[in-house]
Amino acid sequence: TAKSGKLGTEIKAHEKEVAKYQSALDKATEIRMKELAEFNGEEKDLIASIASLKSALEVLQKHQGSFVQMPKAHINSIAKAIDACVKKHSSLMQGVFTRREKKAMTAFIENAAAPSSDGSYSPASGQIFGILKQMMETFETNWSDSQKNELNKQQSYDGVKKTKTAEIEAGQKQIDKKTKELAD
């Protein structure tokens, strides 16, 4: 009777342990899924922004880096691409541009379709071209860093999952062993 009581208590203790390990694994899985969803959303935004900037750079390169010969529709699309990228990724843009570059970018966005009196566009096309390249490089670097960070998070999760799964299996073996002893 004493041994039966002891085994019953040990089985309950192991069941609590297994439940605790399963709960920890479930919570880690839930957190991991949220992190993965966030990463996928950020990655999607970055890829779209990079593609937008690449097409803007291609349009600008086709016109030898000058807005003078470029149709207003192309200039407007470049301005919209810059504006969308800056608004969507404002946190990435902090500290990337000088005040002068920010002013040039803002002026370009605000006055994209309006040429100055001499027919040229202010700010200079070359400066906007440089800003576009710098933005694209920043986004590509951030994307690469995000992917590395995501890989590290996945590896950490895999380690936690492996450990918790092993603990659950060990606890379940103890439950089975003690249940068999109790039955015997």
Side-chain angles (χ1 to χ4, degrees):
T1 303
K3 187 164 184 166
S4 175
K6 180 181 174 197
L7 288 171
T9 303
E10 288 175 353
I11 289 171
K12 286 181 183 178
H14 287 301
E15 286 173 343
K16 284 182 183 177
E17 273 184 12
V18 168
K20 181 178 83 173
Y21 296 145
Q22 185 63 51
S23 175
L25 179 59
D26 293 344
K27 185 170 181 145
T29 301
E30 180 183 330
I31 290 169
R32 181 68 199 116
M33 291 300 112
K34 284 181 184 177
E35 289 174 344
L36 184 60
E38 285 177 16
F39 168 76
N40 288 336
E42 288 175 14
E43 183 178 48
K44 184 179 175 183
D45 287 347
L46 280 172
I47 289 170
S49 295
I50 290 169
S52 177
L53 290 172
K54 278 184 182 178
S55 69
L57 282 166
E58 287 173 9
V59 167
L60 191 55
Q61 284 177 331
K62 285 180 185 176
H63 293 87
Q64 288 85 29
S66 172
F67 290 130
V68 176
Q69 305 291 326
M70 193 180 297
K72 286 183 182 181
H74 291 315
I75 294 170
N76 285 336
S77 69
I78 291 172
K80 285 179 184 176
I82 292 173
D83 191 38
C85 289
V86 168
K87 285 179 181 174
K88 191 180 283 187
H89 304 287
S90 61
S91 62
L92 289 178
M93 298 286 93
Q94 290 180 351
V96 173
F97 300 113
T98 64
R99 281 187 182 169
R100 188 173 174 197
E101 290 171 328
K102 285 180 186 176
K103 280 184 176 181
M105 193 169 32
T106 303
F108 173 71
I109 291 168
E110 291 173 356
N111 304 312
S116 64
S117 59
D118 64 355
S120 65
Y121 287 83
S122 292
S125 307
Q127 191 174 11
I128 294 299
F129 189 77
I131 288 170
L132 285 171
K133 278 188 160 183
Q134 192 172 5
M135 284 175 72
M136 193 170 81
E137 288 171 4
T138 300
F139 290 164
E140 287 173 338
T141 300
N142 187 270
W143 183 27
S144 174
D145 292 345
S146 288
Q147 287 176 323
K148 289 175 187 171
N149 190 17
E150 174 62 19
L151 181 62
N152 288 338
K153 287 180 180 181
Q154 183 63 44
Q155 289 172 342
S156 293
Y157 169 74
D158 290 344
V160 168
K161 183 179 178 182
K162 183 178 178 181
T163 301
K164 292 299 176 191
T165 302
E167 289 172 342
I168 290 169
E169 288 173 1
Q172 195 59 50
K173 283 182 183 176
Q174 286 298 316
I175 291 170
D176 293 346
K177 178 183 170 191
K178 304 244 176 180
T179 302
K180 185 178 183 294
E181 281 182 44
L182 181 60
D184 288 345

